[in-house]
Amino acid sequence: MTATTASAQRFREFKMPDVGEGLTEAEILKWYVQPGDTVTDGQVVCEVETAKAAVELPIPYDGVVHTLNFDEGTTVDVGTVIISVDTDPGAGPAEAAAPAAPAAAPAPAEAEEPQGRQAVLVGYGAAPSSTKRRPRKAAPQAAAEPVTAGLQAELNGRSAVSAPAAVPAPAAPAPAVSAPAAPGAPRPLAKPPVRKLAKDLGIDLATVVPTGADGVVTREDVHAAAAAAAPVSRETVPEAAPAPEVSAAPSAGETRIPVKGVRKATAQAMVASAFTAPHVTEFITVDVTRTMKLVQELKQDPDMAGLRVNPLLFVAKAFLVALKRHPEVNASWDEANQEIVQKHEVNLGIAAATPRGLIVPNIKDAGAKTLPQLAEALGELVATAREGKTSPAAMSGGTVTITNVGVFGVDTGTPILNPGESAILAFGAVKLQPWVHKGKVKPRQVTTLALSFDHRLIDGELGSKLLADIAGVLEKPKRLITWG
């Protein structure tokens, strides 16, 4: 066994895990440990926010924390090492076992890791990352030190004497310099989106100083190179002035907030849904006086003691009863195979506003639950969402959704479908209004419902029947028995 292999076995690296749902990055919200702390297998070491939820990560090793590779608030790509653990702290000083050649250390670690457990956000056992890192030569890094100093000075808002001397090289994107400069030189390491960004900004990746793990060029590196090259480009080509778009510096009358995590995922999902599924929205105004009376009665019922009894519970139950009468609504569109996939279980999503943004956890197989079971599930869902502990699994697999805009005093809206779902119901505010009841105008409790649905799956007749049945249950809640 070589010294390098022994070091790799002693210092185990824990990578940002993948939940297996297509997420590519996560932000480190909080570290619960620091270098020198003792950790045990399964101990939570940090909390991260993915595009779906905040999740606590357990470490799969026993030992002492050796290094934390990223600060809190940093967004890290899945598969990147975030923490290393010394699994044999009694073997001597850490420096003695530290890799002597940083460029060569990752190779044995990659070879050893598949033999152990690969951590994922839910359990263990995910396939190891397929990304392969090549060691970067020391000579190009040494040659790039002046450029690093210049870029750092630009990022810190200072002018450096050495910076302009290093900038002209990337400012002249001559093909003979960028690609064939060194036939034996390795191709710069960068992900496809970063390569596209560099191409769009006219930056030669071979001239960019990488700051990512294992010499990977990041988006920030490309932006830094573009910012450093901006003064030269303005002198040589006066009309090329897209520099403000790169820096995006806020003006005196505005505040810029980075879009990331849950809010970023929500924005992408809503855009994708709005321009993929043909939306149709229908509205109905209904007298829910009887339902509101039943809500008050059940709050006093011993069988519902300790449970969350409110109008949303009955809207959810009415939706489920209507779906049972029209099961073809509970479906999804398979674009790849050009098929309609009918779902046998209703996973009912409830849109929840949280400090981190909008999330839509769902109640699995909600149609099979009794009213008390549904009330209990709703209560747990809301409490978990408020604490920011909703798991990614709880937000996947939804089939239909309810959004309760009435809590904000809003009458109704035109909700956008959650991607992959067939329908979403907006529940408006319940207000006392004049209403014709038994031939006389009386004050009644009235609300407006709005149903948006995917017109590829649901035609106008089916959507109208579904909405009418929901309203019918809320108008006469005894239909929960006769229709349910």
Side-chain angles (χ1 to χ4, degrees):
M1 179 183 298
T2 65
T4 304
T5 303
S7 175
Q9 290 181 338
R10 175 180 173 183
F11 292 91
R12 304 304 300 271
E13 296 178 332
F14 180 65
K15 300 178 180 180
M16 179 65 73
D18 181 8
V19 296
E21 297 182 25
L23 302 181
T24 60
E25 62 184 20
E27 178 187 353
I28 298 175
L29 296 180
K30 183 177 182 180
W31 283 109
Y32 295 123
V33 296
Q34 295 297 325
D37 290 353
T38 300
V39 294
T40 58
D41 186 354
Q43 178 180 338
V44 173
V45 294
C46 69
E47 181 182 22
V48 302
E49 182 183 37
T50 70
K52 293 188 175 182
V55 182
E56 293 181 333
L57 299 185
I59 193 80
Y61 315 123
D62 292 326
V64 174
V65 177
H66 182 50
T67 58
L68 302 181
N69 294 351
F70 296 95
D71 296 330
E72 294 177 355
T74 304
T75 299
V76 182
D77 291 336
V78 167
T80 303
V81 176
I82 59 175
I83 181 176
S84 64
V85 175
D86 184 354
T87 59
D88 189 12
E95 291 76 12
E110 291 290 340
E112 289 293 332
E113 190 141 339
Q115 296 177 4
R117 293 185 299 172
Q118 178 71 16
V120 294
L121 291 183
V122 182
Y124 296 97
S129 174
S130 60
T131 305
K132 298 184 182 298
R133 306 297 190 196
R134 293 175 295 174
R136 295 185 66 85
K137 295 183 178 181
Q141 290 181 356
E145 288 179 359
V147 181
T148 305
L151 295 182
Q152 188 61 47
E154 290 289 341
L155 291 174
N156 292 338
R158 301 191 302 269
S159 59
V161 177
S162 58
V167 170
V177 175
S178 59
R187 185 187 183 199
L189 298 178
K191 293 184 177 181
V194 177
R195 294 185 182 279
K196 183 179 184 301
L197 175 65
K199 182 179 179 182
D200 294 341
L201 297 179
I203 300 299
D204 180 5
L205 284 177
T207 64
V208 177
V209 179
T211 61
D214 299 327
V216 176
V217 178
T218 66
R219 296 179 66 90
E220 289 73 15
D221 297 336
V222 175
H223 283 303
V232 177
S233 64
R234 284 196 296 269
E235 290 178 6
T236 56
V237 186
E239 64 272 16
E245 296 180 3
V246 177
S247 60
S251 65
E254 65 184 20
T255 300
R256 290 181 175 267
I257 303 173
V259 179
K260 55 185 177 180
V262 174
R263 192 169 298 278
K264 179 180 179 181
T266 301
Q268 293 173 342
M270 292 299 97
V271 171
S273 176
F275 293 97
T276 301
H279 285 55
V280 173
T281 304
E282 295 185 341
F283 307 88
I284 190 169
T285 303
V286 57
D287 177 3
V288 294
T289 304
R290 293 187 179 95
T291 292
M292 298 303 291
K293 289 181 179 179
L294 183 57
V295 168
Q296 297 304 318
E297 291 175 5
L298 286 183
K299 284 184 177 180
Q300 309 302 322
D301 193 310
D303 292 335
M304 302 295 286
L307 298 177
R308 192 181 183 89
V309 181
N310 54 24
L312 178 61
L313 172 63
F314 283 88
V315 172
K317 193 62 178 177
F319 199 179
L320 294 169
V321 169
L323 286 169
K324 187 176 180 180
R325 288 166 60 86
H326 306 285
E328 58 270 38
V329 170
N330 195 47
S332 64
W333 182 269
D334 187 341
E335 181 66 28
N337 296 312
Q338 288 295 294
E339 294 176 339
I340 293 175
V341 183
Q342 292 192 345
K343 306 298 180 66
H344 299 158
E345 295 181 353
V346 178
N347 294 338
L348 178 63
I350 304 294
T354 71
R356 293 192 178 102
L358 176 70
I359 63 173
V360 189
N362 60 76
I363 301 172
K364 308 298 183 186
D365 198 10
K369 296 185 181 297
T370 63
L371 191 66
Q373 291 172 340
L374 187 62
E376 182 179 6
L378 273 172
E380 292 176 352
L381 180 149
V382 171
T384 304
R386 284 178 177 174
E387 294 171 0
K389 301 299 183 183
T390 304
S391 68
M395 291 185 285
S396 64
T399 57
V400 295
T401 290
I402 296 175
T403 176
N404 185 9
V405 298
V407 296
F408 306 110
V410 175
D411 291 335
T412 189
T414 54
I416 298 178
L417 292 169
N418 205 29
E421 298 185 5
S422 61
I424 179 170
L425 178 70
F427 173 35
V430 178
K431 298 180 178 180
L432 200 63
Q433 296 183 14
W435 194 265
V436 177
H437 178 67
K438 295 181 179 180
K440 297 182 180 179
V441 177
K442 297 182 178 181
R444 304 287 288 182
Q445 291 178 297
V446 177
T447 190
T448 300
L449 306 174
L451 180 73
S452 293
F453 52 86
D454 187 341
H455 215 346
R456 297 173 300 180
L457 299 166
I458 305 170
D459 58 25
E461 179 185 10
L462 179 58
S464 299
K465 288 182 177 179
L466 177 70
L467 183 58
D469 281 355
I470 297 171
V473 172
L474 294 175
E475 183 180 14
K476 298 180 180 180
K478 66 181 181 181
R479 287 172 174 159
L480 288 172
I481 301 174
T482 58
W483 289 0

